[in-house]
Structure formats: C-alpha cells, structure tokens
Amino acid sequence: MKILAIETSCDETGVAIYDEEQGLLANQLYSQVDLHADYGGVVPELASRDHIRKTIPLIKAALDESGLSASDIDGIAYTAGPGLIGALLVGASIGRSLAYAWNIPAIEVHHMEGHLLAPMLEDNPPAFPFIALLVSGGHTQLIKVSQLGHYELLGESIDDAAGEAFDKTAKLLGLDYPGGAKLSKLAQSGDSHRFHFPRPMTDRPGLDFSFSGLKTYAANTIQQHQPLDEQTKADIARAFEDALVDTLVIKSKRALQQTGYKRLVIAGGVSANITLRQQLTKMMDKIGGQVYYPRLEFCTDNGAMIAYAGMVHLKAKQSADLSITVRPRWPLSELNNG
C-alpha cells in the first residue's frame, strides 16, 4: 500500500509518499519561515495562500522523487486538524479532490497523532504501550498510549505551550523569529549558576503544565538587567531553558510512575531540543526505561508522519467520505477506538 500525504496545518507545506513494505519513498517540505519573519509570527491568511501556491508543485515533486505516477498511489492522507482553519482547508480540499479524481480512498489524519507516531518511521520503533510527550508551538501534552488508536490525555498546558513559551521568551531577548531554536543555541554559552528560574507546577500533584508564569519571570529578569549584554542574554536563556526542560522531565517521570510504563516517546518541534533529549535520556536510564525520538527532520511538521498515520488507518479499512471537513480544535482522545 502506497500512501500520498499532505500536511498543511500551519506554516509548513509537507508532502510525502510512504509504502508499507519499502518505507518512506518521498518527503518534500517547504517552510514559510521567511514569509512570516517580518511579522514576528504566523499570519494565517498568508499561510493559507502560500499553501495554495506550494502544495500541487510539492505533490508533483514527491511523485518525481519516488518514481511513481498517480496510478501507483493507493490512498491519500491529509491533515484535518488541529491547526489553522484556512491552512487545513487547502490540504483537505486538494487531498479529498485528488482521491476522488484518482478513484482511491482518502483519510483524515489528526496532526498530533501524526507527531505521536513519527518515531514509528525509525529503524527501532517503540512497542506499545508507552507515554507520549508531545511538545510543540501549539501543544504540550502527556498522553497514555495503551495501543494504536487508544489515547488518554494525562496532562496538558493550561496556558502557553512549551514551544510558544520558547518563542515568546526569545522575542523578549531580541532574537529573530522563530526564536525557540535561537534561544537554545544562545543558552549553550550561558552560565547555569547565575540565574535560577522556577519549575512551574512541579510542587503540586498532577500532570498539567503552565509556562506563562515562567515567561513572565524571564521578562522581569530581563527588565531588571537592562541594558542587556550578550553574556547576560545567554545566562537568562540558559536559566529559562533549564527550567522548562526540568519541568518537562519531572512531569514525564511522574506520568511513567503513575502508569508503570517504561517507554517514553517524545515528539513535536520542541523534541528537537538537544538539552531536553539529553535530560530525558538520563532520566530514563536511571529508571531502567527507554526513550524514543523521531529524527530531527520529523520533529517539526512534515508529510512523512501524516503518511504513516494515514497508512495505518487505511489498512484498518477507515476512510473519509466525500465531504471536506476540517477541525481547528480536535482533542486527540476523540480518536479512541473502543
């Protein structure tokens, strides 16, 4: 079974082709970072228009890359949510229309399930059950995954997501958009002992997160040390990153203890953070568990993860009808099969 997938949930246009026997055959990705940089964040209308321009050329490029034609494709998968409604409608409309024209089934894919299953694209995929830490610009969630299609939300951010907190704090430090990765790079030269930021909500029971207070603490620290020299910027970046990473590690360990699971999956854009990977690996080694990550190119939004998720659902004889619907807000728990 060969699946062509389209991902257009936000500011990256991804198209991929996945074969259940041969694996990933093509992976095309276009980022809109430069388009939105002047505005300091994603402009939804501009994002939608750019997806319209880029999706069809990327589909053609993916077919060329794989050496396939339309007649070789067995199904179409597309991201139906969550995400920006205009952006989602572009991918859904193109995906559903192609499936109709090619007389093959189409499947709606949940964006976060795509991230959750991204480590399955690797040579050493995790076995079920496991805990999934999904960390991106829009989501910070701990999910209990008992088996494929059975997802239980254990905790989530009640305000800013981890990636959002990274980007907002980077902006406070005067770093260009998107600033999360730039903040992490700056933190590498920071002094970990100069500032100590709070680890929010780790002193109380539960698995929910809150990062808005951490961002405010960073803002106050920045204000108190004006004008900022480069070393102070680096020291603040280090303190912020250490606090956010420690919080994610503490909550992940708590989720593992509550469930008794020994496998942890981390996915989403923030899963590319080197410090987070190092600390989670250290924590899992101490408790005798194992942590799984997607490769760096599959941490951010991409078509490959949507293709894999689509293949799984189409193999289970699931498909979308002819209507074109998207869901900007779509709880992952609503996917549960039984």
Side-chain angles (χ1 to χ4, degrees):
M1 178 181 286
K2 296 180 178 64
I3 306 299
L4 185 148
I6 301 169
E7 155 61 26
T8 62
S9 63
C10 190
D11 60 342
E12 276 139 346
T13 312
V15 175
I17 298 175
Y18 186 89
D19 182 273
E20 68 172 311
E21 295 182 355
Q22 301 178 60
L24 191 62
L25 302 181
N27 185 40
Q28 297 286 324
L29 185 67
Y30 173 79
S31 174
Q32 300 178 1
V33 166
D34 292 341
L35 175 66
H36 301 288
D38 289 342
Y39 304 95
V42 177
V43 181
E45 178 64 21
L46 295 180
S48 302
R49 292 180 182 183
D50 213 42
H51 286 309
I52 293 172
R53 287 189 287 265
K54 297 298 191 299
T55 303
I56 296 297
L58 287 179
I59 290 173
K60 292 179 179 178
L63 290 170
D64 289 342
E65 181 186 349
S66 62
L68 301 175
S69 64
S71 61
D72 297 312
I73 303 300
D74 300 301
I76 304 284
Y78 57 87
T79 302
L84 302 175
I85 187 168
L88 291 168
L89 279 169
V90 175
S93 299
I94 294 173
R96 179 63 265 185
S97 299
L98 277 181
Y100 180 77
W102 294 351
N103 194 29
I104 56 177
I107 185 70
E108 301 172 340
V109 174
H110 191 291
H111 179 74
M112 297 312 294
E113 185 181 31
H115 277 302
L116 186 152
L117 296 177
M120 300 298 183
L121 293 162
E122 304 304 324
D123 293 334
N124 181 35
F128 298 101
F130 56 78
I131 295 296
L133 172 64
L134 304 182
V135 277
S136 66
H139 298 83
T140 302
Q141 298 177 327
L142 280 165
I143 307 290
K144 177 183 177 182
V145 183
S146 54
Q147 57 182 298
L148 185 67
H150 290 252
Y151 310 124
E152 179 185 348
L153 178 65
L154 300 179
E156 63 182 337
S157 178
I158 62 175
D159 41 56
D160 290 353
E164 185 180 9
F166 261 114
D167 287 341
K168 288 181 176 179
T169 303
K171 189 173 184 178
L172 291 171
L173 286 169
L175 303 178
D176 293 335
Y177 170 86
K182 295 181 177 67
L183 185 150
S184 295
K185 183 177 181 179
L186 180 62
Q188 294 176 10
S189 58
D191 180 356
S192 62
H193 301 292
R194 182 175 177 186
F195 300 109
H196 181 82
F197 286 13
R199 276 58 174 163
M201 295 184 68
T202 58
D203 58 349
R204 67 188 74 174
L207 295 170
D208 285 336
F209 302 90
S210 172
F211 295 116
S212 64
L214 181 59
K215 179 193 64 183
T216 300
Y217 195 96
N220 290 337
T221 304
I222 291 168
Q223 184 61 37
Q224 291 166 7
H225 291 81
Q226 293 292 336
L228 292 178
D229 57 55
E230 288 305 309
Q231 186 59 52
T232 300
K233 281 187 180 182
D235 295 343
I236 292 173
R238 177 64 181 271
F240 174 83
E241 182 178 68
D242 285 350
L244 191 144
V245 166
D246 282 354
T247 300
L248 293 174
V249 172
I250 290 167
K251 295 284 186 169
S252 297
K253 182 178 181 180
R254 191 176 295 175
L256 291 162
Q257 291 172 334
Q258 288 185 11
T259 59
Y261 289 177
K262 292 294 186 179
R263 286 181 288 270
L264 175 68
V265 162
I266 172 176
V270 181
S271 69
N273 183 279
I274 300 302
T275 302
L276 178 60
R277 291 189 174 214
Q278 291 173 342
Q279 293 303 314
L280 284 174
T281 299
K282 186 183 300 184
M283 181 268 288
M284 293 303 288
D285 287 344
K286 286 183 179 179
I287 67 173
Q290 190 167 358
V291 62
Y292 298 83
Y293 314 97
R295 71 195 75 167
L296 293 180
E297 66 188 283
F298 295 155
C299 291
T300 53
D301 296 347
N302 63 88
M305 67 183 191
I306 304 303
Y308 181 86
M311 184 270 296
V312 170
H313 287 293
L314 285 173
K315 280 185 66 178
K317 307 300 182 183
Q318 301 171 9
S319 61
D321 58 27
L322 290 175
S323 63
I324 298 173
T325 57
V326 296
R327 302 181 62 180
R329 297 183 181 275
W330 188 5
L332 187 61
S333 59
E334 292 186 6
L335 297 182
N336 286 342
N337 300 321

